[in-house]
Amino acid sequence: MSLLHPDRLFPAEPSTRGLTRALFQSVESLPIVSPHGHTDPRWWGEDPAFADAAELFVIPDHYVVRMLVSQGVPFAALGIGSGAEPDRRTVWRTFAAHYHLFRGTPSRLWIDHALSEVFGIEARLSADTADAAFDAVGDCLSRPEFRPRALYDRFGISVIATTDGALDDLAQHRAARDSGWSGRVVPTYRPDAVTDPDFEGFAGNLDRLGEITGCDTGSWAGYLEAHRARRAFFATMGATATDHGHPTARTADLPEAQARALFDLVRTGRASAEEAETFRAQMLTEFARMSCEDGLVMQLHAGSLRNHSDAVFRAMGRDRGFDIPRRTGYVEELRPLLNAVGMDGRLRLVLFTLDESTYARELAPLAGAYPGLRLGPPWWFHDSFEGMRRFREAVTETAGFHNTAGFNDDTRALCSIPARHDVARRCDCAFLADLVVTHRLDEDEAFALAPLLAHDLARDTYKLGEDA
Amino acid sequence: MSLLHPDRLFPAEPSTRGLTRALFQSVESLPIVSPHGHTDPRWWGEDPAFADAAELFVIPDHYVVRMLVSQGVPFAALGIGSGAEPDRRTVWRTFAAHYHLFRGTPSRLWIDHALSEVFGIEARLSADTADAAFDAVGDCLSRPEFRPRALYDRFGISVIATTDGALDDLAQHRAARDSGWSGRVVPTYRPDAVTDPDFEGFAGNLDRLGEITGCDTGSWAGYLEAHRARRAFFATMGATATDHGHPTARTADLPEAQARALFDLVRTGRASAEEAETFRAQMLTEFARMSCEDGLVMQLHAGSLRNHSDAVFRAMGRDRGFDIPRRTGYVEELRPLLNAVGMDGRLRLVLFTLDESTYARELAPLAGAYPGLRLGPPWWFHDSFEGMRRFREAVTETAGFHNTAGFNDDTRALCSIPARHDVARRCDCAFLADLVVTHRLDEDEAFALAPLLAHDLARDTYKLGEDA
Amino acid sequence: MSLLHPDRLFPAEPSTRGLTRALFQSVESLPIVSPHGHTDPRWWGEDPAFADAAELFVIPDHYVVRMLVSQGVPFAALGIGSGAEPDRRTVWRTFAAHYHLFRGTPSRLWIDHALSEVFGIEARLSADTADAAFDAVGDCLSRPEFRPRALYDRFGISVIATTDGALDDLAQHRAARDSGWSGRVVPTYRPDAVTDPDFEGFAGNLDRLGEITGCDTGSWAGYLEAHRARRAFFATMGATATDHGHPTARTADLPEAQARALFDLVRTGRASAEEAETFRAQMLTEFARMSCEDGLVMQLHAGSLRNHSDAVFRAMGRDRGFDIPRRTGYVEELRPLLNAVGMDGRLRLVLFTLDESTYARELAPLAGAYPGLRLGPPWWFHDSFEGMRRFREAVTETAGFHNTAGFNDDTRALCSIPARHDVARRCDCAFLADLVVTHRLDEDEAFALAPLLAHDLARDTYKLGEDA
């Protein structure tokens, strides 16, 4: 018995299933375009071996950690925080014994896919099979064909983007490029640490930005110039995009003197919460203008309340599964930015949301009108079978397919990349097949759209050029 | 090959499809009742010929224009605004060459339906077929049987409502009535221009309202009396309803002295945004009272942020596809109105929304309690296969079928009227069939409900009497 | 012909239906665990006969009343309020003549189920069958096997919780326990009347709380101590849970001195609306702390705007179908409480919502992270086929199954209890079957999950121990 059924995620109704299968076969082997994600640049620069199954599947995966914690498993038992269990096999056994908690979740699909396709494991994970799986994974990881670059090649990736701070020197990207390896790894400019007044160490980060660029980041004009310089540097290293993680989608377009005064205030660290929010809002519009100038595609990931639990943040730090979505508006919020550059043919802004109620109400209407907008794929908790279905059902009738941005895997879990693209391709093919069997689309059109959704839109949206 | 499959929009599962087909056959030929829409009264008063396919399908259709603009087609290439392409065939070719953008959208279904059913075209629209379609449509339009009144008859319309400003003299309605033509065209009282202090020319509109009615619109009492007079005039011309397009659903019920003072302020043009909103809110309650008195059905279309792009509004004017829905509340908002007249057996208020999250949470609970409320069909972006499905799934369990208002096509595109009713009837039959095959409803009940949803509820809700 | 089809609510697609049927058969006969509801304790303490069908199915059922009122049936015709129709058969006839209004609603399913399964009636209710049904029900009700305790036994209930005010002496619970009857009826501590400053008679209620407990409810410390005392008393009577009905989910965690001052203000009756809200918010955190201490499971039912119509409230009182849901937030709102005790392994907080847009966006992410949180089943208007489907589809991928609380019937309609559990079990089995046929879950896993959802989770979440 295999962990993976060949018809997984295909609709049960036979005629729809048959067409879904045919559509999927037409796109299954297309290269993976990964224009947004969080793989570790060191993997590409140094090509290190992974240590063990717990390091690969449990400890860094906040989807996995949060579910186990929610059912009473202590962080320490997962090898995290003070008193962390040091033995990786023990951590793995804890995970395996609780694997039933993931029934019905995308984590289950991704992990089963990776165990089966990457490591050749076909027994369902449980307390009973934990040791065998741990050993099988460990055995593989000691071999060169399981190092990151080899996996990149094996997965059929044609390009992968990392997400990198504004102060990053991109040394690992340089190392990857200089290594002679044929993979294409591009950085993404993510400047939150120097644009969000609430970010830890904001003032020091501004100073560092000045040092790196030689710009006077004590002045508004110099600060903007420093961003331009860093964006240009990222572009020379292959970047085609920037990314902006904001608590809300608010934008502003202040008169120059007000923006300057706000920057001066924010630099002092004495800005109120509202002033900090206005500064972030203003910066989104500034970045949109820069995008028009330098051609870097702008991404906005809005609506996560980070570190909801003070206790978890203090003890465990960021990215431990306690970032919670909240209600997010886009209509009034994006208006200042869109009034500034929304009709400028050079703008390319990809919008992401954690608030699905905005799909049909706000995002599809906006993307179906403004030429510069594209809708990013379902993000984070919604990057799943039901989430993808809701996305297509909610946005297609208003925005069509061409105003969507193709798939992002958005992951820091390397082995889940093929699984995530597999799920997305299956879901999109099922959606197209449903349109055909209900006679909303002709069959030849579905076969034309399937590679668009699986591959071409991502490449085109992010200006990634042709596959090598 | 036909553009239209006879089983379009029917569920794929064979037993459900079979029952859907039988239900649809029972309602397919019922007369079209169109109690809310935006056809041009001149069509009915003067019965002019349409010029060409671009005038009919592209230039005035903001669904079509917005999608093309969103993918980088300039307004001018669509024959709109400064530098507008003067050649209609060229405009049509641009549209046809981009017809793939509409895959999966209702516009595609409507246009295919009109091309096939009205103009006998069976080749899918594309750059290759553009000229043939343009010529075929043009050839038809030159013939008398493609003039508006002939199309009305051919479409099987039994009554159609237009939407008319409070200052309108309804001359075209009079002309239609006096022409001896048997069609029934009724006006709808839409007073936004004289109730919304933010409307262009509000003060002048008040003066004009006074002149027309002989009422003193400089006083609160006279202003209300003027509305009563105009409503009575509209009723003599056949109107059975009023319509109110508001940015929110806020209502108010101020003490008389406060309302009078607010009117005096608003007349000066110096009201704040909040005061203008309160005035609109108050007027909704006044209109609800008038509805109780004169029996005109009240419609509320709330929640659109009009003219989101300043640049598009300045260059192209209203209704160019840049009206964007926003989050809209009804529970606290309608409470003052409902406390005033919500339990009055004479009230009939039809509620529309662009915020689907309110279907199950707010609107169905309200309509399932207050005797005067009915839920309008899915509006605007949601007037589509998925939109209609979501509506029925979200509201039926709480509000049933009898608290819904039947279908509105709500269109200014004459040839899309049969297509829109066709889609609505198919969707509703599919929904009923699904209830039967899952044994939530008996088959005879589904056959009783199908004509209710297709025809009777619209006629009854809007007090339109029997078909001729 | 039977009112009930054996395959009701099962998906139409044959392979999915077959598996749903098998799953349902495996759980159909499991005991009913009813950890939250509103049955009248007098039924259990005194075991009285019900009077007639109108008393059983119409007059106290606000789902039924609201629908009839919404279609113009006066309250009085339903035996409610001034001028109430005194003849129960006449009330029943009115109901039966309007039974078609319930097509597509859960009330229809519940009532059909009760008429058929409890009273052996197989003719669809209508004006024609009204009298026969009234007589058949009446005939049954005169027999001992249709008294509450006999129905409890016949329905296969293993435990049922009532909802009881903080000032209640639980005499009926004592009577039931002392009667020698084997049924298990447990109270639930619902303190709204002594925690909500807007509750009618709040100040007097505080005094009464002091008298009952011997605590000084004039002081903050004494007031909290009084709650602890009452909770302990309820626990001795079998309670395992508390319940809190709040207009919002706001919580607060004020410094002790501020909380004390707020209590002193609230006691005077001079607190503002905002201060009353803050007091309720503070009390939720206090109750969460008490739950950690005494082990009572905490339930939060947030988001209903009670008594929307002033006129109905004045004339008919509470619970007449005019409570309307409204937009409800949980992320910022619950943060103070969760920062206080969210990571305390002893907390058990079950969250309910009337705002489905929070399922995927807020509630599943929260419950999928914090160990103390569980998601209650779809509440009120959403306790229905479509409502349950939306719930599972929206929360499972993020929160899994084990962070949900099992089913609650939450009803004051005794005869609907088996119907409601039947619907829930069928819906959950259909959801599981769909996961299997789309290969998101293995078949053996579905058979492991079905009894969990039907029975075990409710028992475990509410700490109800083993079935007798």
Side-chain angles (χ1 to χ4, degrees):
Chain A
M1 185 190 176
S2 166
L3 285 180
L4 301 180
H5 194 285
D7 285 342
R8 64 192 177 277
L9 306 182
F10 295 168
E13 194 280 317
S15 69
T16 319
R17 175 165 291 192
L19 180 56
T20 305
R21 193 185 288 136
L23 288 165
F24 179 68
Q25 283 167 357
S26 78
V27 299
E28 185 176 6
S29 306
L30 290 176
I32 287 178
V33 174
S34 178
H36 176 74
H38 299 273
T39 56
D40 186 341
R42 203 174 63 84
W43 296 343
W44 313 118
E46 301 181 5
D47 201 29
F50 293 104
D52 55 62
E55 184 190 287
L56 205 56
F57 287 106
V58 182
I59 299 168
D61 186 330
H62 57 72
Y63 290 83
V64 166
V65 167
R66 74 195 311 276
M67 177 65 91
L68 296 169
V69 168
S70 82
Q71 284 286 312
V73 178
F75 278 103
L78 301 172
I80 299 168
S82 75
E85 169 59 50
D87 181 52
R88 293 295 173 78
R89 183 182 294 270
T90 303
V91 169
W92 178 257
R93 284 176 178 165
T94 297
F95 167 59
H98 290 85
Y99 198 58
H100 62 281
L101 297 177
F102 296 93
R103 287 170 179 161
T105 72
S107 293
R108 163 70 179 272
L109 294 180
W110 299 331
I111 293 169
D112 276 3
H113 190 282
L115 290 176
S116 172
E117 292 281 300
V118 184
F119 297 102
I121 293 169
E122 297 300 347
R124 195 198 301 157
L125 196 59
S126 69
D128 290 343
T129 63
D131 278 357
F134 188 81
D135 291 336
V137 171
D139 184 57
C140 288
L141 293 179
S142 66
R143 289 145 56 191
E145 61 265 38
F146 288 85
R147 297 207 170 193
R149 292 182 190 167
L151 291 176
Y152 175 107
D153 295 336
R154 175 172 162 193
F155 292 165
I157 298 173
S158 70
V159 55
I160 193 165
T162 61
T163 302
D164 310 273
L167 307 176
D168 198 290
D169 62 6
L170 305 183
Q172 296 289 355
H173 290 80
R174 192 177 305 278
R177 178 188 284 192
D178 294 347
S179 71
W181 171 54
S182 64
R184 181 173 172 206
V185 180
V186 301
T188 302
Y189 187 66
R190 168 97 169 214
D192 301 2
V194 289
T195 56
D196 180 0
D198 296 332
F199 209 93
E200 303 95 277
F202 176 67
N205 293 341
L206 289 189
D207 293 343
R208 180 85 187 105
L209 180 63
E211 292 164 26
I212 292 173
T213 58
C215 299
D216 171 18
T217 55
S219 79
W220 174 235
Y223 170 73
L224 294 180
E225 197 51 39
H227 279 296
R228 288 193 194 92
R230 290 306 288 165
R231 293 167 65 103
F233 168 66
F234 271 62
T236 65
M237 295 301 294
T240 67
T242 72
D243 184 32
H244 307 272
H246 280 219
T248 76
R250 259 188 64 190
T251 64
D253 189 20
L254 303 174
E256 211 270 342
Q258 278 185 41
R260 197 184 325 125
L262 181 60
F263 177 71
D264 291 342
L265 175 65
V266 150
R267 277 180 54 234
T268 65
R270 291 199 303 271
S272 68
E274 175 60 21
E275 288 160 341
E277 173 72 357
T278 304
F279 184 72
R280 288 187 294 263
Q282 179 65 27
M283 286 310 298
L284 286 180
T285 305
E286 299 295 344
F287 285 129
R289 287 198 189 94
M290 292 182 200
S291 277
C292 291
E293 293 163 11
D294 66 17
L296 291 178
V297 175
M298 181 173 177
Q299 299 172 90
L300 175 59
H301 286 88
S304 177
L305 190 158
R306 306 277 170 176
N307 308 309
H308 190 270
S309 166
D310 292 345
V312 172
F313 180 58
R314 277 194 307 267
M316 314 289 159
R318 292 175 165 263
D319 295 326
R320 292 308 186 182
F322 282 73
D323 299 342
I324 308 289
R326 58 178 164 186
R327 201 160 58 221
T328 307
Y330 295 84
V331 178
E332 300 275 18
E333 288 79 356
L334 290 179
R335 202 172 184 191
L337 183 157
L338 290 171
N339 268 326
V341 293
M343 298 303 290
D344 186 320
R346 300 172 301 169
L347 181 69
R348 173 75 47 85
L349 170 55
V350 186
L351 299 172
F352 294 83
T353 193
L354 296 171
D355 182 349
E356 293 177 308
S357 74
T358 64
Y359 282 162
R361 186 180 62 216
E362 306 184 17
L363 293 174
L366 286 167
Y370 284 97
L373 298 183
R374 295 287 180 280
L375 301 183
W379 177 33
W380 206 330
F381 300 105
H382 309 309
D383 172 15
S384 61
F385 179 83
E386 301 291 348
M388 289 176 188
R389 178 162 68 171
R390 285 194 292 266
F391 174 76
R392 289 284 176 215
E393 288 179 356
V395 311
T396 305
E397 294 181 322
T398 292
F401 291 104
H402 289 262
N403 285 309
T404 61
F407 185 62
N408 290 175
D409 52 73
D410 194 15
T411 190
R412 59 195 79 224
L414 179 58
C415 290
S416 79
I417 290 176
R420 290 171 189 246
H421 287 264
D422 178 79
V423 169
R425 290 173 181 188
R426 288 170 181 272
C427 288
D428 282 337
C429 289
F431 181 73
L432 292 172
D434 189 54
L435 293 182
V436 173
V437 297
T438 55
H439 306 291
R440 289 181 272 171
L441 193 70
D442 293 328
E443 195 167 310
D444 68 303
E445 296 179 296
F447 278 95
L449 285 166
L452 193 82
L453 304 184
H455 175 273
D456 304 355
L457 274 175
R459 200 191 55 195
D460 295 348
T461 298
Y462 287 88
K463 305 182 181 175
L464 288 164
E466 296 300 311
D467 295 331
Chain B
M1 185 191 175
S2 166
L3 284 179
L4 301 180
H5 193 284
D7 284 342
R8 62 192 178 278
L9 305 183
F10 293 169
E13 193 280 317
S15 68
T16 319
R17 174 164 291 193
L19 180 56
T20 305
R21 194 185 288 138
L23 288 164
F24 179 67
Q25 283 167 356
S26 78
V27 299
E28 184 175 10
S29 306
L30 290 176
I32 287 178
V33 174
S34 177
H36 176 74
H38 299 272
T39 55
D40 187 342
R42 204 173 64 84
W43 297 343
W44 313 119
E46 303 181 4
D47 201 30
F50 293 103
D52 54 61
E55 184 190 287
L56 205 56
F57 287 106
V58 182
I59 298 166
D61 186 331
H62 58 71
Y63 291 83
V64 167
V65 168
R66 74 195 313 276
M67 178 65 90
L68 294 170
V69 168
S70 83
Q71 284 286 312
V73 179
F75 277 103
L78 301 172
I80 300 168
S82 73
E85 169 58 49
D87 181 54
R88 292 294 173 79
R89 183 181 293 272
T90 303
V91 169
W92 179 258
R93 283 177 179 164
T94 297
F95 168 58
H98 290 84
Y99 198 57
H100 62 281
L101 296 178
F102 296 93
R103 287 171 178 160
T105 73
S107 293
R108 163 71 180 273
L109 294 180
W110 299 332
I111 293 169
D112 277 2
H113 190 282
L115 291 176
S116 172
E117 292 282 300
V118 183
F119 297 102
I121 294 170
E122 296 300 349
R124 194 198 301 159
L125 196 59
S126 68
D128 290 343
T129 64
D131 278 356
F134 188 81
D135 292 335
V137 171
D139 185 56
C140 289
L141 293 179
S142 66
R143 290 146 57 190
E145 62 264 37
F146 288 86
R147 295 205 171 194
R149 292 183 190 166
L151 290 175
Y152 175 106
D153 294 336
R154 174 172 164 195
F155 293 166
I157 298 173
S158 70
V159 57
I160 192 165
T162 60
T163 302
D164 310 273
L167 307 176
D168 198 290
D169 62 8
L170 306 183
Q172 297 289 356
H173 290 81
R174 192 176 307 276
R177 179 187 283 192
D178 294 347
S179 70
W181 172 55
S182 67
R184 181 175 173 203
V185 179
V186 301
T188 303
Y189 187 66
R190 169 97 169 216
D192 301 2
V194 289
T195 56
D196 179 0
D198 296 332
F199 210 94
E200 302 94 278
F202 176 68
N205 294 341
L206 288 190
D207 293 344
R208 180 88 187 102
L209 179 64
E211 292 164 26
I212 293 172
T213 59
C215 298
D216 171 18
T217 55
S219 80
W220 174 235
Y223 170 72
L224 294 180
E225 198 51 38
H227 278 295
R228 287 194 194 90
R230 292 306 288 166
R231 293 167 64 103
F233 168 66
F234 271 62
T236 65
M237 296 300 294
T240 67
T242 72
D243 184 32
H244 307 273
H246 280 218
T248 76
R250 259 188 66 189
T251 65
D253 189 20
L254 303 175
E256 211 272 341
Q258 278 186 40
R260 196 185 326 126
L262 180 60
F263 176 71
D264 291 341
L265 175 65
V266 151
R267 279 180 53 235
T268 65
R270 292 200 302 271
S272 68
E274 174 60 21
E275 288 160 340
E277 172 73 355
T278 303
F279 184 72
R280 288 187 296 262
Q282 178 66 25
M283 285 312 297
L284 287 179
T285 304
E286 300 295 345
F287 285 129
R289 286 199 190 93
M290 293 183 200
S291 277
C292 291
E293 293 163 10
D294 66 16
L296 292 178
V297 175
M298 180 174 178
Q299 300 172 89
L300 177 58
H301 286 88
S304 177
L305 190 157
R306 305 276 171 176
N307 308 309
H308 190 270
S309 166
D310 292 344
V312 172
F313 181 58
R314 277 194 308 266
M316 314 289 159
R318 289 175 166 264
D319 295 326
R320 294 305 187 184
F322 282 73
D323 299 342
I324 308 290
R326 58 177 164 188
R327 200 159 58 220
T328 307
Y330 295 84
V331 179
E332 301 274 16
E333 287 79 357
L334 291 178
R335 203 174 184 190
L337 183 157
L338 291 171
N339 268 326
V341 293
M343 298 305 291
D344 186 321
R346 300 172 301 168
L347 180 69
R348 175 75 49 85
L349 171 54
V350 185
L351 299 172
F352 295 83
T353 194
L354 296 171
D355 182 349
E356 294 177 307
S357 74
T358 65
Y359 282 162
R361 184 181 62 216
E362 307 182 18
L363 293 174
L366 286 166
Y370 284 97
L373 299 182
R374 295 288 180 278
L375 301 184
W379 177 34
W380 206 330
F381 300 106
H382 309 308
D383 172 15
S384 61
F385 179 83
E386 300 291 347
M388 290 178 187
R389 177 161 68 172
R390 285 194 292 265
F391 174 76
R392 290 282 176 216
E393 288 179 355
V395 311
T396 305
E397 294 181 321
T398 292
F401 292 104
H402 290 261
N403 285 308
T404 61
F407 186 62
N408 291 175
D409 52 72
D410 194 16
T411 190
R412 59 195 78 224
L414 180 58
C415 291
S416 79
I417 290 177
R420 290 172 190 245
H421 286 264
D422 178 79
V423 168
R425 290 173 182 188
R426 288 170 182 272
C427 287
D428 282 338
C429 289
F431 181 72
L432 292 172
D434 188 55
L435 293 183
V436 173
V437 298
T438 55
H439 306 290
R440 288 181 273 172
L441 194 69
D442 292 329
E443 195 167 311
D444 68 303
E445 298 179 294
F447 278 94
L449 286 166
L452 194 83
L453 304 184
H455 176 273
D456 304 355
L457 274 175
R459 201 191 54 195
D460 296 349
T461 297
Y462 286 89
K463 305 182 181 176
L464 288 164
E466 294 302 308
D467 296 332
Chain C
M1 186 192 177
S2 167
L3 285 178
L4 302 180
H5 193 285
D7 284 342
R8 62 191 179 279
L9 306 182
F10 293 169
E13 195 280 316
S15 68
T16 319
R17 175 164 290 194
L19 179 56
T20 305
R21 194 185 289 137
L23 287 164
F24 179 66
Q25 284 168 354
S26 77
V27 299
E28 185 175 9
S29 307
L30 289 176
I32 287 179
V33 174
S34 177
H36 175 75
H38 299 272
T39 56
D40 186 343
R42 204 174 63 84
W43 297 343
W44 313 119
E46 303 181 5
D47 201 29
F50 293 104
D52 54 60
E55 184 191 287
L56 205 55
F57 287 108
V58 182
I59 299 167
D61 187 330
H62 57 72
Y63 290 84
V64 167
V65 168
R66 72 195 314 275
M67 177 65 90
L68 296 170
V69 168
S70 82
Q71 284 287 310
V73 178
F75 278 103
L78 301 173
I80 299 169
S82 74
E85 169 59 50
D87 181 53
R88 292 295 172 78
R89 184 182 294 270
T90 303
V91 169
W92 179 258
R93 284 176 178 164
T94 298
F95 168 58
H98 290 85
Y99 197 57
H100 62 279
L101 297 178
F102 296 93
R103 287 170 179 160
T105 72
S107 293
R108 162 72 179 270
L109 294 181
W110 300 331
I111 293 168
D112 276 3
H113 190 280
L115 291 176
S116 172
E117 292 281 300
V118 183
F119 298 102
I121 294 169
E122 297 300 348
R124 196 198 298 159
L125 197 58
S126 68
D128 290 343
T129 64
D131 278 357
F134 188 80
D135 291 336
V137 171
D139 185 57
C140 287
L141 293 179
S142 67
R143 290 146 57 191
E145 60 265 38
F146 288 86
R147 296 206 170 193
R149 292 182 190 167
L151 290 175
Y152 174 107
D153 295 335
R154 175 172 162 194
F155 293 165
I157 298 173
S158 70
V159 57
I160 192 166
T162 61
T163 303
D164 310 273
L167 306 176
D168 198 290
D169 63 7
L170 304 184
Q172 297 288 357
H173 290 81
R174 191 176 308 277
R177 178 187 285 192
D178 294 348
S179 70
W181 171 54
S182 65
R184 182 176 173 202
V185 179
V186 302
T188 303
Y189 187 66
R190 169 96 167 217
D192 301 2
V194 290
T195 56
D196 180 0
D198 296 332
F199 209 93
E200 303 95 275
F202 176 67
N205 293 341
L206 289 190
D207 293 343
R208 181 85 188 104
L209 180 65
E211 292 163 27
I212 292 172
T213 57
C215 297
D216 171 18
T217 56
S219 80
W220 174 236
Y223 170 72
L224 294 180
E225 197 52 38
H227 278 295
R228 286 193 194 92
R230 291 306 287 165
R231 295 168 63 102
F233 168 66
F234 271 63
T236 65
M237 294 301 294
T240 67
T242 72
D243 184 31
H244 308 273
H246 280 219
T248 76
R250 258 188 64 189
T251 64
D253 189 20
L254 303 175
E256 212 271 343
Q258 279 185 39
R260 197 184 325 125
L262 179 60
F263 177 72
D264 291 341
L265 174 66
V266 151
R267 277 181 54 235
T268 65
R270 291 199 302 272
S272 68
E274 174 60 20
E275 288 160 342
E277 172 73 356
T278 303
F279 184 72
R280 289 188 294 264
Q282 179 66 26
M283 286 310 298
L284 287 179
T285 305
E286 299 296 344
F287 286 130
R289 286 197 190 95
M290 292 183 202
S291 276
C292 291
E293 291 163 12
D294 67 16
L296 290 179
V297 175
M298 181 175 179
Q299 299 172 89
L300 176 59
H301 286 88
S304 178
L305 190 157
R306 306 276 171 176
N307 307 309
H308 190 269
S309 166
D310 291 344
V312 172
F313 180 58
R314 276 193 308 267
M316 314 289 159
R318 292 175 165 264
D319 295 325
R320 292 307 186 184
F322 282 73
D323 299 343
I324 308 290
R326 58 178 164 187
R327 201 160 56 219
T328 307
Y330 295 84
V331 178
E332 301 273 18
E333 287 79 357
L334 290 179
R335 201 173 184 190
L337 183 156
L338 290 171
N339 268 326
V341 293
M343 299 303 292
D344 185 321
R346 299 171 302 168
L347 181 69
R348 174 75 48 86
L349 171 54
V350 185
L351 299 172
F352 294 82
T353 194
L354 296 171
D355 183 350
E356 293 176 307
S357 74
T358 65
Y359 282 162
R361 184 181 62 216
E362 306 183 18
L363 293 174
L366 286 166
Y370 284 97
L373 299 182
R374 295 288 181 278
L375 302 184
W379 176 33
W380 206 331
F381 301 105
H382 309 309
D383 172 15
S384 61
F385 179 83
E386 301 291 347
M388 289 177 187
R389 178 163 66 174
R390 286 195 291 266
F391 174 77
R392 290 283 176 216
E393 288 179 356
V395 311
T396 305
E397 294 181 322
T398 293
F401 292 103
H402 289 262
N403 285 309
T404 61
F407 186 61
N408 291 175
D409 52 74
D410 193 15
T411 189
R412 58 195 79 223
L414 179 57
C415 290
S416 79
I417 290 176
R420 290 173 190 244
H421 286 263
D422 178 80
V423 169
R425 290 174 183 188
R426 288 170 182 271
C427 287
D428 282 338
C429 288
F431 181 73
L432 292 172
D434 189 54
L435 293 182
V436 173
V437 297
T438 54
H439 305 290
R440 289 181 273 170
L441 193 69
D442 292 329
E443 196 167 309
D444 68 302
E445 296 179 294
F447 278 95
L449 286 166
L452 193 82
L453 304 183
H455 176 274
D456 305 354
L457 274 174
R459 201 190 54 196
D460 296 348
T461 298
Y462 286 88
K463 304 182 182 175
L464 288 164
E466 295 302 311
D467 296 330

